Amino acid sequence: MKAILDHIGIAVADVNAALAFYRDALGLEIEAPEDVVSQRVRAHMIRAGESALELLEATAPDSPIARYLEKRGPGLHHITLRVDDIRAAIAHLRARGVRLIDEQPRPGAESALVAFIHPSAAHGVLVELKQAAPRPTSLAANRVAFGDIALVSLYDGLFRLDGGAMFGVVPRTLWAHPSPPDDRNRIQLAMRPLLVEAEWGRMLIDCGIGDKMDAKQRDIYAVERERALDDAFASVGLTGNDIELVLATHLHFDHFGGATVRRDRRIEPRFGRARYIIRAGEWQDATHPHERNRASYIADDFVPLEAAGVVDFFDDDRMIRPGVRVVQTGGHCPQHQIVFVESGGKTAVFTADLIPTTAHIRDAWIMGYDLFPMETLAFKKQFIREAIDREYLIFFEHDPLVAAGYIREKDGKRYVDQVL
Ligand SMILES: [Zn+2]
Ligand SMILES: [Zn+2]
């Protein structure tokens, strides 16, 4: 079992006095505190090289930290060892008769999974095991079978958007941890179109940013497409010509830029054999932009499709093909829709810009880009409840690390159980 010292937890009775010592006297840098609601504790992380110190402050009189302080006074509370696979580590220790407090991992701070070893087994020290989450996945095409439908998470490279705009009213001190900004305040995002393979054919849901942007636009959005959609297709033995249907969640350039391609100074449909399925209302909005949404729509991404006669419009929520259903969410833009894939008694949902990254599973973490954020909030609250209760497999179109996973809740704290 390989373990690395992650941090040392210190119970403090007077957090201001402790900060005066660790921050001011020692000159260490303290991160924004994080509340672990289920434990009624506030954690102040202090980076110290590869490891860290964690000052633990009780937020309620019945908090385990408050009880610890009462019994033993301030001081060393626990040490945390980081492991690659916490379930394997627990099994390894259990097989050796080590007494554990947690037989199953549970969610801890910073979206990690944690489990405690009993102090009696560790010579008087409380030891916490931690698996840092999420487990990073590089851009890769990954397939999951779902009844008689297969879903393949593809990619069209990476880009960056302003971190503040990605999180709306959430302050930078909170989002900068899950999504560290660069020197231009932009955070890393991915584009992950989804391929649906069924006996009726192959459907692509969204198609990435494409390659029509000029150098200036690519610089503004830090577009990296060294490995892009064609590579993703090739890695699963396909080309764009194998796509029969392209379904748009909405027509923003980071979702539908890949629908067309420039060939000999003309712009043509990128998928030569495909019909493109687009909500009529979204077409109307995209072709009549206003000052607030103009930057999101690029006419060359969609107008040439209509000229080529390859678009099928529809109006209301419906089954697009057996097992594939669209539901309008509004919020992000009035016609924004998410896609339910249902087969073999299971449900997967491609949530597009409703839950663009795993950080957005918190109800109030809503993009500043959204035209109607209260609509997003209402839809999202109800949807995430349902996704947790019914175990929907959620595809996160923009998450740089996690392509898909289940949203779970433990002790009132949400986390993503990564699948891809
Ligand atoms: Zn969008
Ligand atoms: Zn987007």
Side-chain angles (χ1 to χ4, degrees):
M1 195 177 118
K2 203 174 138 236
I4 294 167
L5 178 62
D6 185 85
H7 67 265
I8 296 171
I10 301 167
V12 298
D14 179 343
V15 72
N16 289 322
L19 289 176
F21 171 72
Y22 287 100
R23 181 187 54 206
D24 307 335
L26 288 183
L28 297 172
E29 205 170 303
I30 309 227
E31 293 179 6
E34 180 174 353
D35 279 25
V36 183
V37 178
S38 65
Q39 298 293 306
R40 297 170 299 288
V41 62
R42 185 167 300 139
H44 305 256
M45 274 289 178
I46 306 170
R47 293 282 153 211
E50 296 289 289
S51 305
L53 304 175
E54 181 187 40
L55 304 185
L56 298 162
E57 175 194 4
T59 54
D62 64 339
S63 146
I65 288 295
R67 287 202 299 270
Y68 182 92
L69 287 166
E70 226 164 77
K71 227 158 95 185
R72 309 203 185 186
L76 175 68
H77 178 263
H78 67 268
I79 66 170
T80 297
L81 300 174
R82 194 164 64 240
V83 295
D84 288 336
D85 182 341
I86 195 165
R87 287 184 177 87
I90 290 172
H92 175 94
L93 294 170
R94 202 191 291 130
R96 279 154 188 79
V98 173
R99 189 172 166 203
L100 301 167
I101 295 174
D102 297 303
E103 299 271 329
Q104 290 292 328
R106 55 191 176 85
E110 302 177 320
S111 308
L113 288 173
V114 302
F116 284 93
I117 300 171
H118 199 277
S120 67
H123 305 268
V125 180
L126 177 62
V127 177
E128 179 188 39
L129 299 174
K130 166 178 166 180
Q131 177 186 316
R135 162 172 54 96
T137 51
S138 55
L139 292 179
N142 277 307
R143 186 186 302 260
V144 278
F146 224 71
D148 49 12
I149 289 183
L151 298 173
V152 188
S153 172
L154 302 173
Y155 55 85
D156 193 40
L158 301 164
F159 73 126
R160 289 177 181 269
L161 290 173
D162 184 82
M166 281 304 291
F167 293 108
V169 297
V170 178
R172 173 169 158 145
T173 46
L174 296 183
W175 58 253
H177 181 74
S179 308
D182 65 10
D183 55 358
R184 289 156 78 174
N185 207 46
R186 302 171 303 184
I187 63 166
Q188 185 72 78
L189 297 166
M191 286 160 291
R192 301 181 184 277
L194 183 67
L195 174 66
V196 183
E197 293 182 314
E199 46 88 18
W200 42 255
R202 288 197 180 91
M203 174 192 290
L204 185 62
I205 305 174
D206 285 358
C207 39
I209 204 164
D211 56 6
K212 301 189 304 300
M213 281 190 162
D214 62 28
K216 187 179 164 204
Q217 289 169 314
R218 287 200 306 273
D219 174 61
I220 290 171
Y221 298 112
V223 176
E224 286 176 51
R225 291 181 78 256
E226 283 75 37
R227 286 169 61 238
L229 193 55
D230 285 336
D231 304 291
F233 280 136
S235 74
V236 290
L238 299 174
T239 71
N241 277 333
D242 294 308
I243 302 302
E244 288 140 310
L245 299 161
V246 179
L247 173 64
T249 60
H250 60 308
L251 298 180
H252 287 172
F253 66 81
D254 54 320
H255 296 253
F256 212 60
T260 57
V261 68
R262 188 174 280 118
R263 286 192 189 107
D264 308 326
R265 287 204 212 133
R266 283 185 36 161
I267 294 178
E268 298 175 355
R270 154 96 171 273
F271 304 98
R273 291 179 51 228
R275 300 295 302 175
Y276 290 73
I277 307 171
I278 297 172
R279 228 175 230 275
E282 177 65 2
W283 183 272
Q284 174 67 19
D285 289 348
T287 50
H288 299 79
H290 49 67
E291 291 78 359
R292 178 68 158 67
N293 67 6
R294 197 176 298 279
S296 302
Y297 292 116
I298 300 173
D300 280 348
D301 295 345
F302 42 84
V303 170
L305 300 175
E306 199 196 23
V310 295
V311 182
D312 294 323
F313 292 109
F314 69 99
D315 288 312
D316 304 312
D317 289 353
R318 68 187 55 212
M319 194 79 89
I320 300 289
R321 284 292 182 276
V324 179
R325 187 162 63 83
V326 291
V327 175
Q328 183 175 5
T329 68
H332 179 61
C333 56
Q335 304 289 325
H336 181 268
Q337 61 188 358
I338 58 177
V339 187
F340 284 68
V341 180
E342 288 149 330
S343 178
K346 292 185 177 175
T347 301
V349 187
F350 186 77
T351 54
D353 279 340
L354 176 71
I355 312 175
T357 77
T358 54
H360 292 86
I361 61 172
R362 301 148 171 112
D363 288 333
W365 290 44
I366 291 171
M367 290 193 277
Y369 294 113
D370 285 17
L371 296 180
F372 304 99
M374 292 307 291
E375 260 179 45
T376 305
L377 178 66
F379 192 97
K380 194 171 151 181
K381 276 175 89 158
Q382 170 270 101
F383 173 77
I384 292 186
R385 188 73 267 146
E386 190 180 303
I388 293 169
D389 294 345
R390 299 189 195 168
E391 294 210 303
Y392 294 162
L393 178 60
I394 304 297
F395 282 81
F396 301 99
E397 187 168 8
H398 288 318
D399 196 287
L401 301 175
V402 180
Y406 294 98
I407 304 177
R408 303 206 191 278
E409 198 167 49
K410 186 134 191 211
D411 302 327
K413 197 180 161 88
R414 282 182 194 161
Y415 64 102
V416 172
D417 191 357
Q418 184 175 9
V419 173
L420 299 178

